mmCIF file of all heavy atoms in Angstrom:
data_model
loop_
_atom_site.group_PDB
_atom_site.id
_atom_site.type_symbol
_atom_site.label_atom_id
_atom_site.label_comp_id
_atom_site.label_asym_id
_atom_site.label_seq_id
_atom_site.Cartn_x
_atom_site.Cartn_y
_atom_site.Cartn_z
ATOM 1 N N GLN K 37 26.755 39.327 123.409
ATOM 2 C CA GLN K 37 27.586 40.489 123.121
ATOM 3 C C GLN K 37 29.026 40.047 122.963
ATOM 4 O O GLN K 37 29.596 39.421 123.875
ATOM 5 C CB GLN K 37 27.478 41.526 124.247
ATOM 6 C CG GLN K 37 28.254 42.798 123.980
ATOM 7 C CD GLN K 37 28.070 43.827 125.055
ATOM 8 O OE1 GLN K 37 27.745 43.501 126.193
ATOM 9 N NE2 GLN K 37 28.251 45.095 124.713
ATOM 10 N N ASP K 38 29.617 40.357 121.839
ATOM 11 C CA ASP K 38 31.000 39.987 121.538
ATOM 12 C C ASP K 38 31.757 41.209 121.058
ATOM 13 O O ASP K 38 31.198 42.055 120.344
ATOM 14 C CB ASP K 38 31.037 38.904 120.454
ATOM 15 C CG ASP K 38 30.281 37.656 120.857
ATOM 16 O OD1 ASP K 38 30.823 36.917 121.698
ATOM 17 O OD2 ASP K 38 29.163 37.426 120.366
ATOM 18 N N GLY K 40 33.609 43.798 119.009
ATOM 19 C CA GLY K 40 33.623 44.050 117.574
ATOM 20 C C GLY K 40 32.344 43.681 116.852
ATOM 21 O O GLY K 40 32.151 44.043 115.691
ATOM 22 N N LEU K 41 31.441 42.968 117.541
ATOM 23 C CA LEU K 41 30.186 42.548 116.900
ATOM 24 C C LEU K 41 28.964 43.170 117.558
ATOM 25 O O LEU K 41 27.858 43.086 117.025
ATOM 26 C CB LEU K 41 30.056 41.026 116.939
ATOM 27 C CG LEU K 41 31.106 40.246 116.163
ATOM 28 C CD1 LEU K 41 30.914 38.744 116.365
ATOM 29 C CD2 LEU K 41 31.053 40.581 114.672
ATOM 30 N N GLY K 42 29.145 43.789 118.712
ATOM 31 C CA GLY K 42 28.019 44.412 119.382
ATOM 32 C C GLY K 42 27.057 43.390 119.952
ATOM 33 O O GLY K 42 27.418 42.252 120.245
ATOM 34 N N LEU K 43 25.814 43.792 120.109
ATOM 35 C CA LEU K 43 24.773 42.912 120.634
ATOM 36 C C LEU K 43 24.014 42.282 119.475
ATOM 37 O O LEU K 43 23.611 42.977 118.539
ATOM 38 C CB LEU K 43 23.767 43.693 121.482
ATOM 39 C CG LEU K 43 24.117 43.939 122.927
ATOM 40 C CD1 LEU K 43 25.099 45.084 123.041
ATOM 41 C CD2 LEU K 43 22.862 44.239 123.736
ATOM 42 N N GLN F 2 19.100 46.591 109.662
ATOM 43 C CA GLN F 2 18.934 47.995 109.994
ATOM 44 C C GLN F 2 19.830 48.375 111.156
ATOM 45 O O GLN F 2 19.606 49.365 111.815
ATOM 46 C CB GLN F 2 17.476 48.268 110.358
ATOM 47 C CG GLN F 2 17.028 47.520 111.594
ATOM 48 C CD GLN F 2 15.524 47.573 111.752
ATOM 49 O OE1 GLN F 2 14.815 47.737 110.799
ATOM 50 N NE2 GLN F 2 15.052 47.402 112.967
ATOM 51 N N GLN F 3 20.848 47.585 111.405
ATOM 52 C CA GLN F 3 21.740 47.848 112.519
ATOM 53 C C GLN F 3 22.301 49.253 112.436
ATOM 54 O O GLN F 3 22.786 49.690 111.389
ATOM 55 C CB GLN F 3 22.879 46.840 112.515
ATOM 56 C CG GLN F 3 23.831 46.982 113.684
ATOM 57 C CD GLN F 3 24.986 46.016 113.605
ATOM 58 O OE1 GLN F 3 25.551 45.823 112.546
ATOM 59 N NE2 GLN F 3 25.344 45.392 114.706
ATOM 60 N N GLY F 4 22.268 49.948 113.586
ATOM 61 C CA GLY F 4 22.879 51.256 113.651
ATOM 62 C C GLY F 4 24.378 51.138 113.737
ATOM 63 O O GLY F 4 24.913 50.153 114.231
ATOM 64 N N GLU F 5 25.067 52.144 113.254
ATOM 65 C CA GLU F 5 26.511 52.200 113.334
ATOM 66 C C GLU F 5 26.889 53.468 114.068
ATOM 67 O O GLU F 5 26.562 54.572 113.620
ATOM 68 C CB GLU F 5 27.136 52.224 111.924
ATOM 69 C CG GLU F 5 26.979 50.949 111.155
ATOM 70 C CD GLU F 5 27.963 49.873 111.599
ATOM 71 O OE1 GLU F 5 28.977 50.229 112.226
ATOM 72 O OE2 GLU F 5 27.702 48.695 111.323
ATOM 73 N N GLU F 6 27.579 53.304 115.203
ATOM 74 C CA GLU F 6 27.977 54.472 115.969
ATOM 75 C C GLU F 6 29.319 55.008 115.489
ATOM 76 O O GLU F 6 30.186 54.266 115.031
ATOM 77 C CB GLU F 6 28.076 54.138 117.468
ATOM 78 C CG GLU F 6 26.749 53.846 118.142
ATOM 79 C CD GLU F 6 26.420 52.366 118.109
ATOM 80 O OE1 GLU F 6 27.040 51.629 117.335
ATOM 81 O OE2 GLU F 6 25.536 51.943 118.879
ATOM 82 N N ASP F 7 29.482 56.272 115.677
ATOM 83 C CA ASP F 7 30.720 56.942 115.286
ATOM 84 C C ASP F 7 30.968 58.088 116.265
ATOM 85 O O ASP F 7 30.019 58.836 116.562
ATOM 86 C CB ASP F 7 30.573 57.481 113.857
ATOM 87 C CG ASP F 7 31.744 58.336 113.448
ATOM 88 O OD1 ASP F 7 32.874 57.794 113.394
ATOM 89 O OD2 ASP F 7 31.534 59.524 113.194
ATOM 90 N N PRO F 8 32.161 58.247 116.845
ATOM 91 C CA PRO F 8 33.329 57.396 116.624
ATOM 92 C C PRO F 8 33.241 56.088 117.406
ATOM 93 O O PRO F 8 32.341 55.917 118.202
ATOM 94 C CB PRO F 8 34.465 58.270 117.162
ATOM 95 C CG PRO F 8 33.819 59.046 118.266
ATOM 96 C CD PRO F 8 32.413 59.321 117.805
ATOM 97 N N GLN F 9 34.190 55.200 117.184
ATOM 98 C CA GLN F 9 34.232 53.962 117.955
ATOM 99 C C GLN F 9 34.686 54.240 119.376
ATOM 100 O O GLN F 9 34.270 53.556 120.317
ATOM 101 C CB GLN F 9 35.178 52.959 117.304
ATOM 102 C CG GLN F 9 34.646 52.374 116.011
ATOM 103 C CD GLN F 9 35.534 51.270 115.488
ATOM 104 O OE1 GLN F 9 36.745 51.290 115.686
ATOM 105 N NE2 GLN F 9 34.939 50.298 114.813
ATOM 106 N N ALA F 10 35.564 55.240 119.536
ATOM 107 C CA ALA F 10 36.066 55.598 120.856
ATOM 108 C C ALA F 10 36.246 57.105 120.913
ATOM 109 O O ALA F 10 36.553 57.758 119.919
ATOM 110 C CB ALA F 10 37.388 54.890 121.142
ATOM 111 N N LEU F 11 36.035 57.651 122.118
ATOM 112 C CA LEU F 11 36.110 59.094 122.327
ATOM 113 C C LEU F 11 36.703 59.355 123.699
ATOM 114 O O LEU F 11 36.237 58.779 124.694
ATOM 115 C CB LEU F 11 34.693 59.680 122.238
ATOM 116 C CG LEU F 11 34.503 61.181 122.358
ATOM 117 C CD1 LEU F 11 35.277 61.910 121.281
ATOM 118 C CD2 LEU F 11 33.017 61.512 122.287
ATOM 119 N N THR F 20 29.941 64.160 121.908
ATOM 120 C CA THR F 20 28.940 63.919 120.867
ATOM 121 C C THR F 20 29.208 62.591 120.186
ATOM 122 O O THR F 20 30.339 62.317 119.756
ATOM 123 C CB THR F 20 28.954 65.036 119.802
ATOM 124 O OG1 THR F 20 28.669 66.272 120.431
ATOM 125 C CG2 THR F 20 27.899 64.758 118.736
ATOM 126 N N MET F 21 28.177 61.772 120.121
ATOM 127 C CA MET F 21 28.263 60.482 119.452
ATOM 128 C C MET F 21 27.190 60.431 118.374
ATOM 129 O O MET F 21 26.092 60.963 118.567
ATOM 130 C CB MET F 21 28.034 59.343 120.445
ATOM 131 C CG MET F 21 29.191 59.167 121.393
ATOM 132 S SD MET F 21 28.720 58.326 122.912
ATOM 133 C CE MET F 21 28.356 59.706 123.957
ATOM 134 N N ASN F 22 27.502 59.791 117.274
ATOM 135 C CA ASN F 22 26.585 59.724 116.154
ATOM 136 C C ASN F 22 26.195 58.291 115.847
ATOM 137 O O ASN F 22 26.933 57.349 116.139
ATOM 138 C CB ASN F 22 27.239 60.341 114.913
ATOM 139 C CG ASN F 22 27.656 61.761 115.153
ATOM 140 O OD1 ASN F 22 26.825 62.630 115.408
ATOM 141 N ND2 ASN F 22 28.963 62.008 115.101
ATOM 142 N N CYS F 23 25.012 58.165 115.260
ATOM 143 C CA CYS F 23 24.498 56.847 114.892
ATOM 144 C C CYS F 23 23.869 56.959 113.510
ATOM 145 O O CYS F 23 23.052 57.856 113.270
ATOM 146 C CB CYS F 23 23.462 56.408 115.918
ATOM 147 S SG CYS F 23 22.548 54.915 115.485
ATOM 148 N N SER F 24 24.249 56.068 112.612
ATOM 149 C CA SER F 24 23.617 56.032 111.294
ATOM 150 C C SER F 24 22.971 54.671 111.095
ATOM 151 O O SER F 24 23.443 53.671 111.637
ATOM 152 C CB SER F 24 24.645 56.305 110.194
ATOM 153 O OG SER F 24 25.674 55.344 110.239
ATOM 154 N N TYR F 25 21.898 54.641 110.343
ATOM 155 C CA TYR F 25 21.190 53.386 110.115
ATOM 156 C C TYR F 25 20.723 53.344 108.672
ATOM 157 O O TYR F 25 20.845 54.334 107.941
ATOM 158 C CB TYR F 25 20.020 53.230 111.088
ATOM 159 C CG TYR F 25 19.023 54.364 111.054
ATOM 160 C CD1 TYR F 25 17.901 54.314 110.237
ATOM 161 C CD2 TYR F 25 19.213 55.499 111.839
ATOM 162 C CE1 TYR F 25 16.994 55.356 110.188
ATOM 163 C CE2 TYR F 25 18.315 56.554 111.804
ATOM 164 C CZ TYR F 25 17.214 56.471 110.980
ATOM 165 O OH TYR F 25 16.322 57.517 110.943
ATOM 166 N N LYS F 26 20.170 52.189 108.253
ATOM 167 C CA LYS F 26 19.946 51.999 106.818
ATOM 168 C C LYS F 26 18.487 51.988 106.391
ATOM 169 O O LYS F 26 18.170 52.347 105.267
ATOM 170 C CB LYS F 26 20.621 50.708 106.365
ATOM 171 C CG LYS F 26 22.126 50.752 106.500
ATOM 172 C CD LYS F 26 22.768 49.440 106.082
ATOM 173 C CE LYS F 26 24.273 49.514 106.257
ATOM 174 N NZ LYS F 26 24.930 48.227 105.961
ATOM 175 N N LEU F 32 14.177 55.325 117.776
ATOM 176 C CA LEU F 32 15.588 55.068 118.015
ATOM 177 C C LEU F 32 15.857 55.313 119.486
ATOM 178 O O LEU F 32 15.319 56.256 120.073
ATOM 179 C CB LEU F 32 16.456 55.986 117.142
ATOM 180 C CG LEU F 32 17.958 55.747 117.152
ATOM 181 C CD1 LEU F 32 18.551 55.993 115.767
ATOM 182 C CD2 LEU F 32 18.653 56.603 118.192
ATOM 183 N N GLN F 33 16.651 54.435 120.078
ATOM 184 C CA GLN F 33 16.924 54.532 121.506
ATOM 185 C C GLN F 33 18.433 54.563 121.735
ATOM 186 O O GLN F 33 19.203 54.021 120.944
ATOM 187 C CB GLN F 33 16.320 53.322 122.236
ATOM 188 C CG GLN F 33 14.826 53.191 122.032
ATOM 189 C CD GLN F 33 14.234 51.993 122.746
ATOM 190 O OE1 GLN F 33 14.727 51.557 123.769
ATOM 191 N NE2 GLN F 33 13.143 51.459 122.201
ATOM 192 N N TRP F 34 18.822 55.195 122.834
ATOM 193 C CA TRP F 34 20.224 55.197 123.249
ATOM 194 C C TRP F 34 20.335 54.513 124.609
ATOM 195 O O TRP F 34 19.493 54.721 125.500
ATOM 196 C CB TRP F 34 20.757 56.629 123.343
ATOM 197 C CG TRP F 34 21.032 57.250 122.009
ATOM 198 C CD1 TRP F 34 20.176 57.984 121.245
ATOM 199 C CD2 TRP F 34 22.270 57.200 121.280
ATOM 200 N NE1 TRP F 34 20.786 58.383 120.078
ATOM 201 C CE2 TRP F 34 22.079 57.924 120.085
ATOM 202 C CE3 TRP F 34 23.517 56.617 121.518
ATOM 203 C CZ2 TRP F 34 23.087 58.070 119.134
ATOM 204 C CZ3 TRP F 34 24.513 56.772 120.567
ATOM 205 C CH2 TRP F 34 24.298 57.497 119.386
ATOM 206 N N TYR F 35 21.399 53.710 124.734
ATOM 207 C CA TYR F 35 21.660 52.983 125.961
ATOM 208 C C TYR F 35 23.103 53.222 126.394
ATOM 209 O O TYR F 35 23.985 53.495 125.571
ATOM 210 C CB TYR F 35 21.462 51.468 125.750
ATOM 211 C CG TYR F 35 20.026 51.039 125.596
ATOM 212 C CD1 TYR F 35 19.348 51.222 124.391
ATOM 213 C CD2 TYR F 35 19.343 50.451 126.658
ATOM 214 C CE1 TYR F 35 18.021 50.833 124.252
ATOM 215 C CE2 TYR F 35 18.015 50.050 126.523
ATOM 216 C CZ TYR F 35 17.364 50.244 125.313
ATOM 217 O OH TYR F 35 16.057 49.862 125.183
ATOM 218 N N ARG F 36 23.348 53.070 127.690
ATOM 219 C CA ARG F 36 24.697 53.153 128.253
ATOM 220 C C ARG F 36 25.039 51.819 128.897
ATOM 221 O O ARG F 36 24.185 51.165 129.497
ATOM 222 C CB ARG F 36 24.766 54.253 129.313
ATOM 223 C CG ARG F 36 26.153 54.459 129.891
ATOM 224 C CD ARG F 36 26.128 55.423 131.069
ATOM 225 N NE ARG F 36 25.592 54.781 132.251
ATOM 226 C CZ ARG F 36 24.658 55.304 133.019
ATOM 227 N NH1 ARG F 36 24.126 56.469 132.719
ATOM 228 N NH2 ARG F 36 24.248 54.654 134.082
ATOM 229 N N GLN F 37 26.303 51.425 128.771
ATOM 230 C CA GLN F 37 26.768 50.202 129.413
ATOM 231 C C GLN F 37 28.071 50.482 130.141
ATOM 232 O O GLN F 37 29.077 50.831 129.528
ATOM 233 C CB GLN F 37 26.986 49.079 128.391
ATOM 234 C CG GLN F 37 27.384 47.757 129.033
ATOM 235 C CD GLN F 37 27.618 46.656 128.012
ATOM 236 O OE1 GLN F 37 28.077 46.908 126.897
ATOM 237 N NE2 GLN F 37 27.279 45.419 128.378
ATOM 238 N N LEU F 43 23.010 46.819 129.915
ATOM 239 C CA LEU F 43 22.747 48.122 129.338
ATOM 240 C C LEU F 43 21.638 48.824 130.109
ATOM 241 O O LEU F 43 20.706 48.177 130.609
ATOM 242 C CB LEU F 43 22.326 47.985 127.868
ATOM 243 C CG LEU F 43 23.452 47.753 126.865
ATOM 244 C CD1 LEU F 43 24.031 46.357 126.976
ATOM 245 C CD2 LEU F 43 22.949 48.008 125.449
ATOM 246 N N LEU F 46 18.680 55.118 128.163
ATOM 247 C CA LEU F 46 18.857 56.537 128.409
ATOM 248 C C LEU F 46 17.688 57.360 127.878
ATOM 249 O O LEU F 46 17.109 58.184 128.588
ATOM 250 C CB LEU F 46 20.149 57.030 127.751
ATOM 251 C CG LEU F 46 21.458 56.466 128.304
ATOM 252 C CD1 LEU F 46 22.633 56.961 127.476
ATOM 253 C CD2 LEU F 46 21.634 56.833 129.770
ATOM 254 N N LYS F 70 18.876 59.506 107.914
ATOM 255 C CA LYS F 70 18.978 58.244 108.663
ATOM 256 C C LYS F 70 20.123 58.322 109.673
ATOM 257 O O LYS F 70 21.036 57.477 109.681
ATOM 258 C CB LYS F 70 19.140 57.061 107.717
ATOM 259 C CG LYS F 70 17.911 56.785 106.865
ATOM 260 C CD LYS F 70 18.066 55.516 106.069
ATOM 261 C CE LYS F 70 16.759 55.089 105.433
ATOM 262 N NZ LYS F 70 16.183 56.097 104.525
ATOM 263 N N SER F 71 20.056 59.335 110.508
ATOM 264 C CA SER F 71 21.113 59.502 111.498
ATOM 265 C C SER F 71 20.569 60.125 112.767
ATOM 266 O O SER F 71 19.532 60.815 112.764
ATOM 267 C CB SER F 71 22.246 60.361 110.935
ATOM 268 O OG SER F 71 21.805 61.687 110.752
ATOM 269 N N SER F 72 21.287 59.889 113.856
ATOM 270 C CA SER F 72 20.948 60.436 115.164
ATOM 271 C C SER F 72 22.237 60.815 115.865
ATOM 272 O O SER F 72 23.302 60.273 115.559
ATOM 273 C CB SER F 72 20.198 59.389 115.992
ATOM 274 O OG SER F 72 19.987 59.836 117.313
ATOM 275 N N SER F 73 22.134 61.763 116.777
ATOM 276 C CA SER F 73 23.303 62.097 117.586
ATOM 277 C C SER F 73 22.903 62.182 119.044
ATOM 278 O O SER F 73 21.764 62.546 119.376
ATOM 279 C CB SER F 73 23.923 63.414 117.132
ATOM 280 O OG SER F 73 23.044 64.482 117.413
ATOM 281 N N LEU F 74 23.845 61.821 119.902
ATOM 282 C CA LEU F 74 23.683 61.926 121.358
ATOM 283 C C LEU F 74 24.731 62.902 121.856
ATOM 284 O O LEU F 74 25.927 62.695 121.628
ATOM 285 C CB LEU F 74 23.864 60.562 122.021
ATOM 286 C CG LEU F 74 23.959 60.560 123.541
ATOM 287 C CD1 LEU F 74 22.632 60.978 124.172
ATOM 288 C CD2 LEU F 74 24.378 59.179 124.064
ATOM 289 N N ALA F 85 31.760 55.119 129.856
ATOM 290 C CA ALA F 85 30.940 53.944 129.556
ATOM 291 C C ALA F 85 30.929 53.743 128.049
ATOM 292 O O ALA F 85 31.490 54.552 127.290
ATOM 293 C CB ALA F 85 29.500 54.148 130.058
ATOM 294 N N SER F 86 30.274 52.685 127.616
ATOM 295 C CA SER F 86 29.992 52.506 126.186
ATOM 296 C C SER F 86 28.557 52.931 125.932
ATOM 297 O O SER F 86 27.670 52.682 126.755
ATOM 298 C CB SER F 86 30.181 51.049 125.785
ATOM 299 O OG SER F 86 31.537 50.689 125.825
ATOM 300 N N TYR F 87 28.348 53.562 124.803
ATOM 301 C CA TYR F 87 27.026 54.071 124.454
ATOM 302 C C TYR F 87 26.576 53.421 123.146
ATOM 303 O O TYR F 87 27.331 53.376 122.169
ATOM 304 C CB TYR F 87 27.051 55.591 124.321
ATOM 305 C CG TYR F 87 27.287 56.258 125.651
ATOM 306 C CD1 TYR F 87 28.566 56.378 126.180
ATOM 307 C CD2 TYR F 87 26.215 56.732 126.414
ATOM 308 C CE1 TYR F 87 28.784 56.953 127.414
ATOM 309 C CE2 TYR F 87 26.417 57.319 127.657
ATOM 310 C CZ TYR F 87 27.713 57.419 128.146
ATOM 311 O OH TYR F 87 27.914 57.981 129.376
ATOM 312 N N PHE F 88 25.342 52.934 123.158
ATOM 313 C CA PHE F 88 24.809 52.204 122.008
ATOM 314 C C PHE F 88 23.530 52.864 121.520
ATOM 315 O O PHE F 88 22.681 53.271 122.325
ATOM 316 C CB PHE F 88 24.451 50.763 122.396
ATOM 317 C CG PHE F 88 25.623 49.923 122.793
ATOM 318 C CD1 PHE F 88 26.096 49.947 124.091
ATOM 319 C CD2 PHE F 88 26.238 49.090 121.878
ATOM 320 C CE1 PHE F 88 27.188 49.169 124.472
ATOM 321 C CE2 PHE F 88 27.318 48.300 122.243
ATOM 322 C CZ PHE F 88 27.788 48.348 123.546
ATOM 323 N N CYS F 89 23.389 52.938 120.208
ATOM 324 C CA CYS F 89 22.086 53.289 119.661
ATOM 325 C C CYS F 89 21.381 51.998 119.256
ATOM 326 O O CYS F 89 22.029 50.990 118.922
ATOM 327 C CB CYS F 89 22.198 54.244 118.475
ATOM 328 S SG CYS F 89 22.920 53.546 116.972
ATOM 329 N N ALA F 90 20.077 52.022 119.314
ATOM 330 C CA ALA F 90 19.274 50.848 118.958
ATOM 331 C C ALA F 90 18.095 51.315 118.116
ATOM 332 O O ALA F 90 17.381 52.242 118.499
ATOM 333 C CB ALA F 90 18.782 50.124 120.208
ATOM 334 N N THR F 91 17.922 50.695 116.980
ATOM 335 C CA THR F 91 16.845 51.079 116.084
ATOM 336 C C THR F 91 15.710 50.067 116.178
ATOM 337 O O THR F 91 15.939 48.847 116.234
ATOM 338 C CB THR F 91 17.335 51.165 114.636
ATOM 339 O OG1 THR F 91 18.034 49.957 114.300
ATOM 340 C CG2 THR F 91 18.268 52.331 114.449
ATOM 341 N N LEU F 97 14.415 45.351 118.531
ATOM 342 C CA LEU F 97 15.462 46.369 118.539
ATOM 343 C C LEU F 97 16.750 45.784 118.005
ATOM 344 O O LEU F 97 17.093 44.648 118.328
ATOM 345 C CB LEU F 97 15.708 46.855 119.962
ATOM 346 C CG LEU F 97 14.808 47.915 120.568
ATOM 347 C CD1 LEU F 97 15.283 48.240 121.964
ATOM 348 C CD2 LEU F 97 14.775 49.151 119.711
ATOM 349 N N THR F 98 17.465 46.563 117.212
ATOM 350 C CA THR F 98 18.769 46.153 116.714
ATOM 351 C C THR F 98 19.797 47.157 117.182
ATOM 352 O O THR F 98 19.647 48.358 116.966
ATOM 353 C CB THR F 98 18.760 46.078 115.179
ATOM 354 O OG1 THR F 98 17.722 45.189 114.752
ATOM 355 C CG2 THR F 98 20.091 45.537 114.667
ATOM 356 N N PHE F 99 20.867 46.646 117.803
ATOM 357 C CA PHE F 99 21.869 47.509 118.414
ATOM 358 C C PHE F 99 23.079 47.679 117.506
ATOM 359 O O PHE F 99 23.467 46.767 116.771
ATOM 360 C CB PHE F 99 22.341 46.898 119.739
ATOM 361 C CG PHE F 99 21.331 47.013 120.839
ATOM 362 C CD1 PHE F 99 20.292 46.102 120.940
ATOM 363 C CD2 PHE F 99 21.415 48.036 121.774
ATOM 364 C CE1 PHE F 99 19.345 46.205 121.950
ATOM 365 C CE2 PHE F 99 20.480 48.141 122.797
ATOM 366 C CZ PHE F 99 19.448 47.230 122.881
ATOM 367 N N GLY F 100 23.695 48.859 117.618
ATOM 368 C CA GLY F 100 24.976 49.081 116.968
ATOM 369 C C GLY F 100 26.096 48.519 117.824
ATOM 370 O O GLY F 100 25.864 47.883 118.852
ATOM 371 N N LYS F 101 27.329 48.785 117.407
ATOM 372 C CA LYS F 101 28.493 48.231 118.100
ATOM 373 C C LYS F 101 28.998 49.133 119.212
ATOM 374 O O LYS F 101 29.861 48.737 119.985
ATOM 375 C CB LYS F 101 29.613 47.951 117.104
ATOM 376 C CG LYS F 101 29.227 46.902 116.078
ATOM 377 C CD LYS F 101 30.302 46.696 115.031
ATOM 378 C CE LYS F 101 29.801 45.702 113.978
ATOM 379 N NZ LYS F 101 30.787 45.500 112.895
ATOM 380 N N GLY F 102 28.498 50.340 119.286
ATOM 381 C CA GLY F 102 28.798 51.186 120.418
ATOM 382 C C GLY F 102 29.954 52.141 120.255
ATOM 383 O O GLY F 102 30.839 51.957 119.422
ATOM 384 N N THR F 103 29.916 53.203 121.049
ATOM 385 C CA THR F 103 31.016 54.162 121.194
ATOM 386 C C THR F 103 31.523 54.080 122.620
ATOM 387 O O THR F 103 30.736 54.195 123.567
ATOM 388 C CB THR F 103 30.547 55.601 120.916
ATOM 389 O OG1 THR F 103 30.210 55.741 119.545
ATOM 390 C CG2 THR F 103 31.637 56.601 121.266
ATOM 391 N N MET F 104 32.828 53.880 122.769
ATOM 392 C CA MET F 104 33.422 53.856 124.109
ATOM 393 C C MET F 104 33.841 55.271 124.471
ATOM 394 O O MET F 104 34.671 55.861 123.794
ATOM 395 C CB MET F 104 34.629 52.929 124.147
ATOM 396 C CG MET F 104 34.283 51.475 124.052
ATOM 397 S SD MET F 104 35.731 50.422 124.139
ATOM 398 C CE MET F 104 36.397 50.872 125.730
ATOM 399 N N LEU F 105 33.262 55.809 125.535
ATOM 400 C CA LEU F 105 33.564 57.159 125.989
ATOM 401 C C LEU F 105 34.406 57.094 127.250
ATOM 402 O O LEU F 105 34.026 56.432 128.213
ATOM 403 C CB LEU F 105 32.274 57.929 126.270
ATOM 404 C CG LEU F 105 32.444 59.312 126.909
ATOM 405 C CD1 LEU F 105 33.161 60.255 125.960
ATOM 406 C CD2 LEU F 105 31.091 59.881 127.330
#
Side-chain angles (χ1 to χ4, degrees):
Chain K
Q37 183 177 24
D38 301 286
L41 296 176
L43 276 79
Chain F
Q2 63 192 25
Q3 183 183 43
E5 292 282 341
E6 291 92 344
D7 173 63
Q9 289 187 329
L11 183 59
T20 300
M21 289 158 267
N22 302 297
C23 171
S24 59
Y25 56 92
K26 295 178 181 176
L32 187 144
Q33 302 180 29
W34 285 91
Y35 288 78
R36 183 188 75 228
Q37 184 181 33
L43 281 72
L46 295 175
K70 293 187 169 59
S71 68
S72 173
S73 67
L74 170 67
S86 291
Y87 292 81
F88 295 85
C89 69
T91 51
L97 278 181
T98 304
F99 286 82
K101 297 176 184 178
T103 292
M104 289 181 59
L105 173 65

